[in-house]
């Protein structure tokens, strides 16, 4: 079965091999050496002043960010399930929450964020997804962060990059906390979350809040290449192999470039056969299609073509399907997927099969490879 869900994503064979050795003790010089190397790669990936790895799923890092960086009122951007989650975390911890809610295809507007900030002087942190995975959209995080900082630099910008870090280069100039999770663009099994932090964030964290998710304790330990509690040793060993593999394959720039080309080619291919891209501004992490036959297409992909794509949640259940673009994916696998969709539409009597989707994919993908730069 080809795993084409936008998380979890396939774990490459060499990464699985790297994780198959006996469990290493976390308080040993051997593991600390691995930790140190992994941390160096993370600084390069995140480009933030500090990085912290925690043993939890991505939601744990979202909770750690909210409790350590918001002391009063959180402004959360809700254009989907993951944005909604930030608000729930805030209220679960007795923090106030102001929410900007939009339909799941609609990115937040910078103006709405500025108006909310101006109307509520208690807002001291903003939480937003870079790529909101519920509908596959891209929020204008860098722009909103810049505009907010121009009004009040004290407001912490928390950016959930769980489906963005490792997908595209993110400008962290005005971002205080950038979150990643292992099972999405980092090509690992679930269980490891990473936070990139600005110096301003570290200052605000101070002595930290909470116990397990107290970021001050982690920062202190991780600067010494160890962790406050037992490290997710196996996943960190896997992460180092992921970074070394990315380097062997040509580096981060090429990974971002290939991801962008694949996302562009997949979308062009599916639009060429009459399908509609759901989000108003699509993220590069996934291709999201809304269609009356979304459920049927999804099950035919699984049963007849051995491809597992994701559906929609809540009110979008049965209305959309989402195709992963994160990680290292050979183009022939993506071609298989778009061609299978065209065949399914033919079987359903919606079009006459003409090999159009794979043709458009090939043209779009390989023509852009002439200039191997980020797009
Ligand atoms: C998957 C995802 C999460 C949640 O991560 P878990 O590892 O499932 O806890 C949060 N935000 C976004 C954008 C995601 O895609």
């Amino acid at each position: 079965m080809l795993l084409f869900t936008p998380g979890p994503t396939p774990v490459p064979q060499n990464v699985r091999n790297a994780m198959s050795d006996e469990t290493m003790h976390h308080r040993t010089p051997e593991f600390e050496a691995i930790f140190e190397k992994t941390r160096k790669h993370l600084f390069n990936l995140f480009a933030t002043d500090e990085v912290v790895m925690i043993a939890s799923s991505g939601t744990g890092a979202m909770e750690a960010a909210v409790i350590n960086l918001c002391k009063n009122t959180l402004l959360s951007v809700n254009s989907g399930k993951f944005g909604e989650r930030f608000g729930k975390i805030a209220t679960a911890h007795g923090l106030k929450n102001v929410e900007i809610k939009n339909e799941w295809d609609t990115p937040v507007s910078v103006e709405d964020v500025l108006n909310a900030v101006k109307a509520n002087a208690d807002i001291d942190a903003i939480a937003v997804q870079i790529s909101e995975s519920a509908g596959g959209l891209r929020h204008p995080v860098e722009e909103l962060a810049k505009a907010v900082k121009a009004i009040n630099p004290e407001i912490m910008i928390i950016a959930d990059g769980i489906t963005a870090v490792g997908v595209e280069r993110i400008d962290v100039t005005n971002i205080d906390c950038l979150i990643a999770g292992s099972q999405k663009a980092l090509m690992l099994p679930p269980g490891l979350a990473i936070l990139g932090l600005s110096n301003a964030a570290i200052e605000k964290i101070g002595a930290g809040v909470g116990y397990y998710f107290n970021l001050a304790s982690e920062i202190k330990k991780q600067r010494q290449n160890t962790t406050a509690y037992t490290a997710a040793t196996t996943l960190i060993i896997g992460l180092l192999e992921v970074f070394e593999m990315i380097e062997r394959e040509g580096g981060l720039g090429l990974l971002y470039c290939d991801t962008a080309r694949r996302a562009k080619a997949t979308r062009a291919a599916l639009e060429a056969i009459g399908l509609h891209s759901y989000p108003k501004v699509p993220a590069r992490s996934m291709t999201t299609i809304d269609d009356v036959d979304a459920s049927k297409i999804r099950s035919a992909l699984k049963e007849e073509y051995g491809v597992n794509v994701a559906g929609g949640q809540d009110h979008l259940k049965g209305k959309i399907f989402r195709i992963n673009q994160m990680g290292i994916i050979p183009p022939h696998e993506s071609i298989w997927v778009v061609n299978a969709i065209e065949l399914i539409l033919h079987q359903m009597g919606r079009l006459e099969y003409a090999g159009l989707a794979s043709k458009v994919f090939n043209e779009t993908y390989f023509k852009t490879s002439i200039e191997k730069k980020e797009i």
Side-chain angles (χ1 to χ4, degrees):
M1 182 74 79
L2 283 180
L3 183 60
F4 260 90
T5 55
T9 60
V11 180
Q13 184 66 56
N14 54 302
V15 178
R16 280 181 275 154
N17 291 348
M19 295 189 296
S20 68
D21 275 344
E22 279 184 57
T23 301
M24 201 181 265
H25 195 284
H26 55 293
R27 309 277 181 216
T28 55
E30 294 124 278
F31 182 68
E32 283 167 20
I34 290 169
F35 194 92
E36 186 176 8
K37 278 196 215 164
T38 312
R39 234 170 101 76
K40 280 207 182 107
H41 283 290
L42 283 172
F43 275 108
N44 181 41
L45 175 68
F46 278 69
T48 47
D49 298 316
E50 189 52 81
V51 292
V52 163
M53 290 176 253
I54 50 176
S56 82
S57 90
T59 307
M62 292 166 73
E63 181 157 4
V66 170
I67 64 173
N68 284 272
L69 292 171
C70 180
K71 310 282 172 197
N72 192 335
T73 302
L74 181 76
L75 173 63
S76 57
V77 168
N78 175 357
S79 292
K81 201 126 191 93
F82 298 105
E84 179 188 53
R85 189 169 298 177
F86 269 130
K88 287 185 174 172
I89 291 170
T91 38
H93 285 279
L95 295 161
K96 282 180 276 168
N97 178 233
V98 175
E99 191 177 66
I100 302 177
K101 200 170 175 180
N102 279 302
E103 191 36 69
W104 290 14
D105 63 349
T106 309
V108 72
S109 86
V110 176
E111 202 190 338
D112 285 354
V113 172
L114 290 182
N115 288 340
V117 165
K118 285 174 193 158
N120 192 334
D122 288 343
I123 291 170
D124 65 329
I126 299 177
V128 56
Q129 274 58 42
I130 297 177
S131 152
E132 168 54 81
S133 315
L137 71 78
R138 178 68 158 87
H139 280 300
V141 176
E142 298 88 338
E143 292 88 331
L144 81 79
K146 190 176 177 199
V148 167
K149 292 284 184 183
I151 301 181
N152 182 355
E154 306 273 296
I155 295 177
M156 291 284 118
I157 308 290
I158 301 168
D160 168 359
I162 295 176
T163 51
V165 175
V167 169
E168 56 176 309
R169 203 176 294 285
I170 295 150
D171 177 5
V172 291
T173 313
N174 297 294
I175 291 174
D176 295 292
C177 176
L178 177 62
I179 300 167
S182 54
Q183 81 276 26
K184 308 277 173 87
L186 298 177
M187 298 171 260
L188 287 166
L192 185 72
I194 305 139
L195 298 103
L197 298 162
S198 70
N199 284 332
I202 295 167
E203 203 170 302
K204 182 152 182 189
I205 290 165
V209 174
Y211 189 81
Y212 183 73
F213 288 131
N214 182 318
L215 290 176
S217 340
E218 285 298 345
I219 293 166
K220 188 168 161 238
K221 290 288 182 182
Q222 298 200 15
R223 283 178 174 165
Q224 299 156 31
N225 297 314
T226 187
T227 46
Y229 313 105
T230 306
T233 46
T234 309
L235 289 168
I236 294 169
I237 289 166
L239 182 56
L240 179 57
E241 176 57 25
V242 166
F243 281 127
E244 291 177 347
M245 172 187 66
I246 292 171
E247 265 181 12
R248 286 195 300 273
E249 303 263 332
L252 280 174
L254 191 60
L255 174 70
Y256 298 150
C257 174
D258 286 348
T259 306
R261 287 165 60 206
R262 205 167 48 241
K264 192 178 166 195
T266 304
R267 188 176 155 200
L270 298 180
E271 285 177 344
I273 54 169
L275 294 176
H276 179 254
S277 166
Y278 173 70
K280 288 179 184 151
V281 181
R284 292 177 187 174
S285 52
M286 67 197 76
T287 306
T288 307
I289 298 294
D290 57 311
D291 195 276
V292 283
D293 294 317
S295 277
K296 279 190 206 152
I297 296 171
R298 214 182 134 214
S299 28
L301 274 172
K302 198 177 230 166
E303 273 136 43
E304 290 162 49
Y305 299 94
V307 179
N308 188 2
V309 300
Q313 295 161 292
D314 295 358
H315 67 293
L316 291 185
K317 202 169 179 350
K319 301 209 164 104
I320 59 164
F321 62 92
R322 294 171 295 149
I323 303 170
N324 175 51
Q325 302 297 351
M326 295 176 280
I328 296 173
I329 303 172
H332 66 261
E333 289 187 2
S334 301
I335 294 164
W336 172 265
V337 176
V338 297
N339 185 60
I341 294 171
E342 186 174 348
L343 284 165
I344 292 165
L345 294 181
H346 172 89
Q347 283 157 0
M348 290 167 66
R350 283 179 48 169
L351 51 69
E352 202 52 49
Y353 177 77
L356 183 61
S358 52
K359 177 175 181 277
V360 171
F361 184 98
N362 277 298
E363 278 174 0
T364 316
Y365 187 87
F366 291 103
K367 269 184 190 159
T368 52
S369 76
I370 298 160
E371 318 163 56
K372 284 224 163 162
K373 62 173 196 229
E374 278 179 56
I375 46 172

